[in-house]
PDB file of all heavy atoms in Angstrom:
ATOM      1  N   LEU K  47     108.904 136.572 117.772  1.00 82.00           N
ATOM      2  CA  LEU K  47     109.736 136.991 118.886  1.00 82.00           C
ATOM      3  C   LEU K  47     110.297 135.749 119.567  1.00 82.00           C
ATOM      4  O   LEU K  47     109.548 134.878 120.012  1.00 82.00           O
ATOM      5  CB  LEU K  47     108.929 137.826 119.878  1.00 82.00           C
ATOM      6  CG  LEU K  47     108.517 139.230 119.413  1.00 82.00           C
ATOM      7  CD1 LEU K  47     107.690 139.913 120.489  1.00 82.00           C
ATOM      8  CD2 LEU K  47     109.737 140.063 119.069  1.00 82.00           C
ATOM      9  N   ASN K 167     101.266 139.020 114.329  1.00 57.00           N
ATOM     10  CA  ASN K 167     100.780 139.414 113.009  1.00 57.00           C
ATOM     11  C   ASN K 167      99.973 140.695 113.119  1.00 57.00           C
ATOM     12  O   ASN K 167      99.425 141.001 114.188  1.00 57.00           O
ATOM     13  CB  ASN K 167      99.905 138.294 112.447  1.00 57.00           C
ATOM     14  CG  ASN K 167      99.658 138.454 110.964  1.00 57.00           C
ATOM     15  OD1 ASN K 167     100.587 138.346 110.174  1.00 57.00           O
ATOM     16  ND2 ASN K 167      98.418 138.692 110.606  1.00 57.00           N
ATOM     17  N   LEU K 203      96.896 118.080 109.491  1.00 55.00           N
ATOM     18  CA  LEU K 203      95.647 118.377 108.792  1.00 55.00           C
ATOM     19  C   LEU K 203      95.937 119.085 107.472  1.00 55.00           C
ATOM     20  O   LEU K 203      95.300 118.810 106.443  1.00 55.00           O
ATOM     21  CB  LEU K 203      94.749 119.244 109.670  1.00 55.00           C
ATOM     22  CG  LEU K 203      94.055 118.532 110.839  1.00 55.00           C
ATOM     23  CD1 LEU K 203      93.322 119.536 111.720  1.00 55.00           C
ATOM     24  CD2 LEU K 203      93.071 117.486 110.297  1.00 55.00           C
ATOM     25  N   ILE K 224     108.409 109.755 101.407  1.00 32.00           N
ATOM     26  CA  ILE K 224     109.863 109.746 101.590  1.00 32.00           C
ATOM     27  C   ILE K 224     110.240 110.515 102.844  1.00 32.00           C
ATOM     28  O   ILE K 224     111.210 110.221 103.498  1.00 32.00           O
ATOM     29  CB  ILE K 224     110.561 110.350 100.358  1.00 32.00           C
ATOM     30  CG1 ILE K 224     110.248 109.492  99.130  1.00 32.00           C
ATOM     31  CG2 ILE K 224     112.057 110.471 100.561  1.00 32.00           C
ATOM     32  CD1 ILE K 224     110.887 110.003  97.875  1.00 32.00           C
ATOM     33  N   ASP K 370     129.561  69.429  89.184  1.00 56.00           N
ATOM     34  CA  ASP K 370     128.982  69.918  87.929  1.00 56.00           C
ATOM     35  C   ASP K 370     128.160  71.158  88.268  1.00 56.00           C
ATOM     36  O   ASP K 370     127.164  71.081  88.978  1.00 56.00           O
ATOM     37  CB  ASP K 370     128.099  68.841  87.299  1.00 56.00           C
ATOM     38  CG  ASP K 370     127.520  69.285  85.952  1.00 56.00           C
ATOM     39  OD1 ASP K 370     127.765  70.447  85.567  1.00 56.00           O
ATOM     40  OD2 ASP K 370     126.847  68.480  85.309  1.00 56.00           O
ATOM     41  N   ARG K 420     140.966 109.449 105.288  1.00 96.00           N
ATOM     42  CA  ARG K 420     141.886 109.291 104.169  1.00 96.00           C
ATOM     43  C   ARG K 420     143.325 109.429 104.674  1.00 96.00           C
ATOM     44  O   ARG K 420     143.611 110.225 105.565  1.00 96.00           O
ATOM     45  CB  ARG K 420     141.606 110.337 103.092  1.00 96.00           C
ATOM     46  CG  ARG K 420     142.290 110.069 101.753  1.00 96.00           C
ATOM     47  CD  ARG K 420     141.939 111.140 100.728  1.00 96.00           C
ATOM     48  NE  ARG K 420     142.503 110.849  99.422  1.00 96.00           N
ATOM     49  CZ  ARG K 420     141.865 110.219  98.450  1.00 96.00           C
ATOM     50  NH1 ARG K 420     140.618 109.812  98.662  1.00 96.00           N
ATOM     51  NH2 ARG K 420     142.447 109.985  97.296  1.00 96.00           N
ATOM     52  N   ASP K 445     143.844  93.797 110.796  1.00 91.00           N
ATOM     53  CA  ASP K 445     143.612  93.219 109.470  1.00 91.00           C
ATOM     54  C   ASP K 445     142.260  93.588 108.898  1.00 91.00           C
ATOM     55  O   ASP K 445     141.748  92.905 108.017  1.00 91.00           O
ATOM     56  CB  ASP K 445     143.770  91.703 109.518  1.00 91.00           C
ATOM     57  CG  ASP K 445     142.689  91.022 110.360  1.00 91.00           C
ATOM     58  OD1 ASP K 445     141.987  91.734 111.110  1.00 91.00           O
ATOM     59  OD2 ASP K 445     142.554  89.800 110.267  1.00 91.00           O
ATOM     60  N   PHE K 446     141.643  94.666 109.381  1.00 96.00           N
ATOM     61  CA  PHE K 446     140.338  95.073 108.868  1.00 96.00           C
ATOM     62  C   PHE K 446     140.418  95.358 107.376  1.00 96.00           C
ATOM     63  O   PHE K 446     139.575  94.893 106.595  1.00 96.00           O
ATOM     64  CB  PHE K 446     139.841  96.305 109.624  1.00 96.00           C
ATOM     65  CG  PHE K 446     138.407  96.659 109.355  1.00 96.00           C
ATOM     66  CD1 PHE K 446     137.409  96.251 110.214  1.00 96.00           C
ATOM     67  CD2 PHE K 446     138.046  97.409 108.247  1.00 96.00           C
ATOM     68  CE1 PHE K 446     136.073  96.578 109.967  1.00 96.00           C
ATOM     69  CE2 PHE K 446     136.728  97.739 107.989  1.00 96.00           C
ATOM     70  CZ  PHE K 446     135.736  97.312 108.854  1.00 96.00           C
ATOM     71  N   SER K 527     152.102  65.283  84.006  1.00 76.00           N
ATOM     72  CA  SER K 527     152.342  63.919  83.514  1.00 76.00           C
ATOM     73  C   SER K 527     152.962  63.880  82.118  1.00 76.00           C
ATOM     74  O   SER K 527     153.389  62.817  81.658  1.00 76.00           O
ATOM     75  CB  SER K 527     151.030  63.137  83.502  1.00 76.00           C
ATOM     76  OG  SER K 527     150.103  63.745  82.629  1.00 76.00           O
ATOM     77  N   MET K 655     153.763 103.486  89.767  1.00 95.00           N
ATOM     78  CA  MET K 655     153.984 102.700  88.553  1.00 95.00           C
ATOM     79  C   MET K 655     152.754 101.924  88.091  1.00 95.00           C
ATOM     80  O   MET K 655     152.753 101.331  87.022  1.00 95.00           O
ATOM     81  CB  MET K 655     155.143 101.721  88.786  1.00 95.00           C
ATOM     82  CG  MET K 655     156.456 102.384  89.147  1.00 95.00           C
ATOM     83  SD  MET K 655     157.740 101.197  89.592  1.00 95.00           S
ATOM     84  CE  MET K 655     157.887 100.262  88.071  1.00 95.00           C
ATOM     85  N   TYR K 699     122.473  82.597 120.309  1.00 98.00           N
ATOM     86  CA  TYR K 699     122.525  82.926 118.876  1.00 98.00           C
ATOM     87  C   TYR K 699     121.088  83.063 118.384  1.00 98.00           C
ATOM     88  O   TYR K 699     120.315  82.105 118.415  1.00 98.00           O
ATOM     89  CB  TYR K 699     123.252  81.837 118.093  1.00 98.00           C
ATOM     90  CG  TYR K 699     123.800  82.293 116.749  1.00 98.00           C
ATOM     91  CD1 TYR K 699     125.130  82.085 116.417  1.00 98.00           C
ATOM     92  CD2 TYR K 699     122.998  82.928 115.803  1.00 98.00           C
ATOM     93  CE1 TYR K 699     125.657  82.496 115.198  1.00 98.00           C
ATOM     94  CE2 TYR K 699     123.505  83.351 114.588  1.00 98.00           C
ATOM     95  CZ  TYR K 699     124.841  83.125 114.288  1.00 98.00           C
ATOM     96  OH  TYR K 699     125.348  83.549 113.082  1.00 98.00           O
ATOM     97  N   LEU K 713     127.167  72.286 116.391  1.00 95.00           N
ATOM     98  CA  LEU K 713     127.144  73.124 117.585  1.00 95.00           C
ATOM     99  C   LEU K 713     128.488  73.073 118.306  1.00 95.00           C
ATOM    100  O   LEU K 713     128.982  74.099 118.795  1.00 95.00           O
ATOM    101  CB  LEU K 713     126.018  72.678 118.516  1.00 95.00           C
ATOM    102  CG  LEU K 713     124.588  72.921 118.010  1.00 95.00           C
ATOM    103  CD1 LEU K 713     123.575  72.254 118.929  1.00 95.00           C
ATOM    104  CD2 LEU K 713     124.303  74.410 117.898  1.00 95.00           C
ATOM    105  N   TRP K 839     128.504  79.280 107.960  1.00 97.00           N
ATOM    106  CA  TRP K 839     129.731  79.227 108.756  1.00 97.00           C
ATOM    107  C   TRP K 839     130.708  78.155 108.276  1.00 97.00           C
ATOM    108  O   TRP K 839     131.891  78.223 108.575  1.00 97.00           O
ATOM    109  CB  TRP K 839     129.392  78.982 110.224  1.00 97.00           C
ATOM    110  CG  TRP K 839     128.798  80.170 110.904  1.00 97.00           C
ATOM    111  CD1 TRP K 839     127.487  80.370 111.216  1.00 97.00           C
ATOM    112  CD2 TRP K 839     129.491  81.337 111.346  1.00 97.00           C
ATOM    113  NE1 TRP K 839     127.310  81.583 111.831  1.00 97.00           N
ATOM    114  CE2 TRP K 839     128.533  82.203 111.927  1.00 97.00           C
ATOM    115  CE3 TRP K 839     130.824  81.747 111.315  1.00 97.00           C
ATOM    116  CZ2 TRP K 839     128.867  83.430 112.467  1.00 97.00           C
ATOM    117  CZ3 TRP K 839     131.163  82.982 111.861  1.00 97.00           C
ATOM    118  CH2 TRP K 839     130.201  83.815 112.428  1.00 97.00           C
ATOM    119  N   GLN K 986     165.321  73.451  78.882  1.00 54.00           N
ATOM    120  CA  GLN K 986     165.875  74.767  79.172  1.00 54.00           C
ATOM    121  C   GLN K 986     166.393  74.811  80.599  1.00 54.00           C
ATOM    122  O   GLN K 986     165.901  74.141  81.487  1.00 54.00           O
ATOM    123  CB  GLN K 986     164.816  75.853  78.973  1.00 54.00           C
ATOM    124  CG  GLN K 986     163.605  75.716  79.919  1.00 54.00           C
ATOM    125  CD  GLN K 986     162.565  76.783  79.680  1.00 54.00           C
ATOM    126  OE1 GLN K 986     162.911  77.891  79.305  1.00 54.00           O
ATOM    127  NE2 GLN K 986     161.313  76.463  79.895  1.00 54.00           N
TER     128      GLN K 986
END
Side-chain angles (χ1 to χ4, degrees):
L47 290 178
N167 195 66
L203 285 174
I224 298 180
D370 182 357
R420 193 179 184 94
D445 66 346
F446 191 97
S527 62
M655 301 174 61
Y699 201 127
L713 292 172
W839 287 103
Q986 62 181 328

